[in-house]
Amino acid sequence: NAGVTQTPKFQVLKTGQSMTLQCAQDMNHEYMSWYRQDPGMGLRLIHYSVGAGITDQGEVPNGYNVSRSTTEDFPLRLLSAAPSQTSVYFCASRHGGENTEAFFGQGTRLTVV
Amino acid sequence: KNEVEQSPQNLTAQEGEFITINCSYSVGISALHWLQQHPGGGIVSLFMLSSGKKKHGRLIATINIQEKHSSLHITASHPRDSAVYICAVGGGSQGNLIFGKGTKLSVKP
């Protein structure tokens, strides 16, 4: 049972480059989300999706795009990387509803130079 | 004021000690989550609770809804317990989680 699979684990980008962080889950979870983790701060929500074809912005959406064409996949796109996007990114999924356990990917450490 | 406050921020303990990490929140919630993150590693869910107490091995989580407070206890701590422990509450828009900043625990042998 793979759970939440996130790739790549590490990435270095130059300012202005674009890239896609991949996230896939095999638990048929309706809800998927992307967070960034920065030193001294709690995880902050970037974008989330409550089901295929539905996405919405979180707390810090600027500079990021998402799509949810299938239940399993929820990629995060950086359109034009900036040094301020240097962070650790986590994808998470859970069943719909409020009182459900969250499952996290292993994280992507992104450095923008 | 942060909606989820954890204390302490950093904690160093000797192997075998009893450890308590606290979490206070200021919003109405449907459930509270305790998560564990090892250095350089992913995030793992330890507990999800909306009332009372839960126990798993040496870990115990309690919540007091009236006081908006939860504690995570570790009995007979071990160096492998060294990690960041994160409190998160559910209750935001679409049930989104709101996270505390985490408590970094280091257990010395």
Side-chain angles (χ1 to χ4, degrees):
Chain A
N1 195 353
V4 180
T5 303
Q6 203 179 320
T7 56
K9 196 165 175 61
F10 300 95
Q11 184 71 51
V12 178
L13 287 179
K14 293 183 178 178
T15 297
Q17 286 185 316
S18 62
M19 79 159 295
T20 299
L21 279 63
Q22 302 291 344
C23 177
Q25 52 91 9
D26 62 358
M27 297 171 282
N28 202 31
H29 286 169
E30 298 89 351
Y31 184 97
M32 296 185 74
S33 51
W34 277 102
Y35 300 92
R36 59 178 289 172
Q37 185 180 42
D38 299 295
M41 305 184 77
L43 278 82
R44 293 182 292 168
L45 182 65
I46 304 171
H47 285 285
Y48 65 97
S49 169
V50 298
I54 305 168
T55 63
D56 207 346
Q57 296 181 349
E59 181 185 355
V60 288
N62 292 342
Y64 308 95
N65 272 359
V66 292
S67 60
R68 184 93 180 270
S69 56
T70 66
T71 299
E72 294 79 17
D73 299 298
F74 191 46
L76 178 72
R77 297 182 186 86
L78 281 71
L79 307 174
S80 178
S84 60
Q85 294 178 303
T86 293
S87 188
V88 181
Y89 292 84
F90 286 95
C91 177
S93 76
R94 59 181 172 84
H95 279 300
E98 294 184 341
N99 293 353
T100 55
E101 182 183 3
F103 294 81
F104 291 82
Q106 286 297 302
T108 297
R109 185 172 293 273
L110 175 67
T111 302
V112 183
V113 298
Chain B
K1 184 184 189 303
N2 291 327
E3 293 172 298
V4 180
E5 296 271 6
Q6 286 186 239
S7 63
Q9 279 187 293
N10 294 281
L11 181 55
T12 300
Q14 288 297 127
E15 184 173 356
E17 285 185 358
F18 180 85
I19 289 163
T20 296
I21 298 170
N22 296 299
C23 177
S24 296
Y25 53 92
S26 59
V27 295
I29 69 168
S30 54
L32 184 141
H33 303 248
W34 282 105
L35 311 166
Q36 180 191 58
Q37 183 178 22
H38 279 105
I43 297 170
V44 176
S45 176
L46 297 175
F47 295 103
M48 183 186 68
L49 64 167
S50 54
S51 65
K53 175 178 170 179
K54 286 190 174 180
K55 184 175 189 290
H56 186 261
R58 296 180 294 105
L59 301 178
I60 303 166
T62 64
I63 188 169
N64 185 318
I65 297 293
Q66 288 73 30
E67 295 186 2
K68 295 187 175 179
H69 181 270
S70 174
S71 292
L72 176 68
H73 305 287
I74 304 175
T75 62
S77 59
H78 190 276
R80 65 175 174 266
D81 297 325
S82 297
V84 175
Y85 292 84
I86 301 169
C87 172
V89 299
S93 172
Q94 301 288 348
N96 290 328
L97 296 178
I98 304 169
F99 294 82
K101 294 181 180 180
T103 295
K104 185 175 182 180
L105 171 66
S106 178
V107 182
K108 306 293 186 187

